């Protein structure tokens, strides 16, 4: 028994000594190096994979880009035309918005959404989609002229890029000038001609394109805001009536918009508001 107790005390003392952690770390490192090698040698197998004669490798095409110096003025002109064409494609969405009736349609649809006190319905993407397809419907004759006079002859090689640009510019210029046939439109054209230090034009041919586009944009903004104001008036009347009724009943803490919005929606649906709105927008565009 004394010998057993001495052995037990010696083992416990070694376990709690300072040398035991070092010996344990060395043992773990040795096991980590020996076990993977032994398992790999015990489970290693040799195998051969053969492919059939009908199997072919994957062919990857070689893509090569050569950059050379232009040898003639035509090559330089072609490179510049290509650069201008890529720039035009980048600006195509802005051109579509600012030189067509999309600007007027989108602003008016946003005005009617705010007049009805609607926050999320219909979403802005839906309104922009409606304005886009309405614009395509209205501008289809103009787009058809651009395609038949400019794009198709250019793709067939009948006209050059400069001629295609002039042919595509003509129908859009006529459309924008017809929209500004009123007094406000002529005022905007005269203002921009004066700022550009150009003589006052007598007809469309004397108005440069860089003048007619900003004048058309301001004209469309003015017309769209006028239509939006007229749309706001009946709904403002409903808001005022509901607010006065709530104040007379002592319900000052209740927001009038929550009470007036159902009545505005019912009025808009009963008078077929979407149909009347689209018809008047189409009628406001002079073709």
């Amino acid at each position: 028994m004394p010998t057993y107790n001495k052995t037990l005390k010696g083992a416990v003392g070694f376990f709690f000594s300072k040398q035991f952690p070092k010996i344990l770390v060395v043992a773990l490192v040795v096991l980590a190096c020996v076990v993977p090698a032994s398992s790999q040698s015990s489970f290693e197998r040799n195998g051969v994979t053969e492919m059939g004669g009908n199997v072919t490798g994957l062919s990857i095409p070689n893509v090569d880009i050569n950059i050379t110096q232009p040898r003639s003025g035509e090559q330089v002109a072609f490179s510049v035309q290509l650069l201008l064409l890529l720039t035009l494609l980048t600006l195509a969405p802005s051109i579509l918005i600012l030189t067509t009736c999309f600007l007027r349609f989108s602003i008016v649809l946003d005005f009617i959404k705010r007049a009805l006190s609607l926050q999320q319905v219909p979403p802005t993407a839906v309104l922009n989609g409606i304005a886009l397809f309405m614009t395509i419907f209205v501008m289809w004759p103009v787009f058809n002229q651009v395609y038949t006079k400019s794009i198709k002859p250019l793709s067939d090689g009948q006209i050059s890029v400069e001629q295609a640009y002039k042919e595509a510019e003509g129908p859009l210029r006529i459309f924008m000038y017809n929209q500004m046939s009123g007094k406000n439109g002529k005022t905007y054209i005269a203002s921009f001609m004066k700022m550009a230090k150009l003589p006052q034009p007598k007809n469309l041919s004397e108005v440069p394109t860089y003048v007619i586009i900003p004048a058309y944009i301001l004209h469309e903004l003015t017309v769209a805001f006028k239509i939006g104001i007229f749309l706001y008036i009946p709904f403002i009347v409903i808001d005022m009536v509901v607010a006065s009724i709530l104040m007379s009943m002592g319900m000052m803490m209740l927001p009038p918009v929550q009470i007036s919005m159902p009545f505005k929606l019912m009025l808009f649906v009963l008078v077929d508001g979407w149909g009347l709105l689209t018809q008047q927008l189409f009628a406001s565009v002079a073709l």
Side-chain angles (χ1 to χ4, degrees):
M1 292 298 292
T3 305
Y4 175 76
N5 292 332
K6 291 181 180 180
T7 304
L8 181 61
K9 290 180 180 180
V12 173
F14 175 73
F15 181 76
F16 287 101
S17 64
K18 296 181 179 181
Q19 300 297 328
F20 179 75
K22 299 180 180 180
I23 297 173
L24 180 61
V25 171
V26 173
L28 292 176
V29 171
V30 171
L31 288 174
C33 295
V34 172
V35 171
S38 62
S39 61
Q40 182 178 2
S41 60
S42 60
F43 292 98
E44 185 176 357
R45 296 291 185 270
N46 295 325
V48 178
T49 302
E50 295 182 356
M51 298 179 63
N54 297 326
V55 179
T56 58
L58 180 63
S59 60
I60 300 176
N62 184 20
V63 180
D64 188 11
I65 299 175
N66 294 323
I67 300 176
T68 59
Q69 295 292 333
R71 298 180 179 178
S72 62
E74 295 180 355
Q75 293 182 357
V76 176
F78 178 76
S79 300
V80 173
Q81 291 174 1
L82 183 60
L83 180 61
L84 293 176
L85 180 60
L86 294 176
T87 305
L88 183 63
L89 292 176
T90 305
L91 299 176
S94 300
I95 295 174
L96 178 64
I97 292 173
L98 299 178
T99 60
T100 61
C101 53
F102 178 85
L103 183 62
R104 181 187 304 187
F105 291 167
S106 60
I107 292 176
V108 172
L109 291 176
D110 189 72
F111 262 104
I112 195 64
K113 177 182 177 180
R114 297 178 184 273
L116 291 172
S117 302
L118 299 174
Q119 301 297 328
Q120 302 294 334
V121 180
T124 304
V126 174
L127 293 179
N128 290 334
I130 295 172
L132 177 61
F133 283 99
M134 290 172 59
T135 302
I136 293 174
F137 177 78
V138 173
M139 299 290 297
W140 188 256
V142 179
F143 292 157
N144 192 18
Q145 292 180 10
V146 172
Y147 177 76
T148 55
K149 294 182 179 180
S150 176
I151 298 177
K152 191 175 185 304
L154 179 63
S155 61
D156 295 338
Q158 299 177 0
I159 59 176
S160 61
V161 177
E162 293 83 359
Q163 294 176 349
Y165 170 75
K166 293 180 181 179
E167 294 293 336
E169 183 185 25
L172 290 175
R173 283 171 52 86
I174 294 174
F175 172 79
M176 290 186 289
Y177 189 79
N178 289 336
Q179 300 303 311
M180 295 184 293
S181 58
K183 182 179 179 181
N184 291 333
K186 294 180 179 179
T187 303
Y188 290 131
I189 292 177
S191 300
F192 279 99
M193 293 291 288
K194 184 178 181 180
M195 286 186 287
K197 297 181 181 180
L198 297 175
Q200 294 301 320
K202 298 180 181 179
N203 49 33
L204 175 61
S205 60
E206 297 179 359
V207 182
T209 303
Y210 65 88
V211 170
I212 195 172
I213 291 178
Y216 174 76
I217 293 172
L218 293 183
H219 176 266
E220 288 296 293
L221 288 173
T222 304
V223 173
F225 272 76
K226 287 181 179 179
I227 297 174
I229 291 172
F230 285 112
L231 290 175
Y232 249 103
I233 292 176
F235 300 110
I236 290 177
V237 173
I238 295 176
D239 289 333
M240 294 175 62
V241 171
V242 171
S244 61
I245 293 174
L246 292 177
M247 291 183 64
S248 63
M249 295 176 64
M251 299 181 180
M252 298 180 182
M253 301 300 295
L254 185 63
V257 177
Q258 293 184 357
I259 307 301
S260 63
M261 185 176 66
F263 293 99
K264 291 190 288 187
L265 290 176
M266 287 188 292
L267 175 63
F268 189 74
V269 172
L270 289 175
V271 300
D272 190 16
W274 291 113
L276 292 176
L277 181 64
T278 53
Q279 291 177 8
Q280 294 302 317
L281 285 175
F282 290 152
S284 66
V285 179
L287 296 177

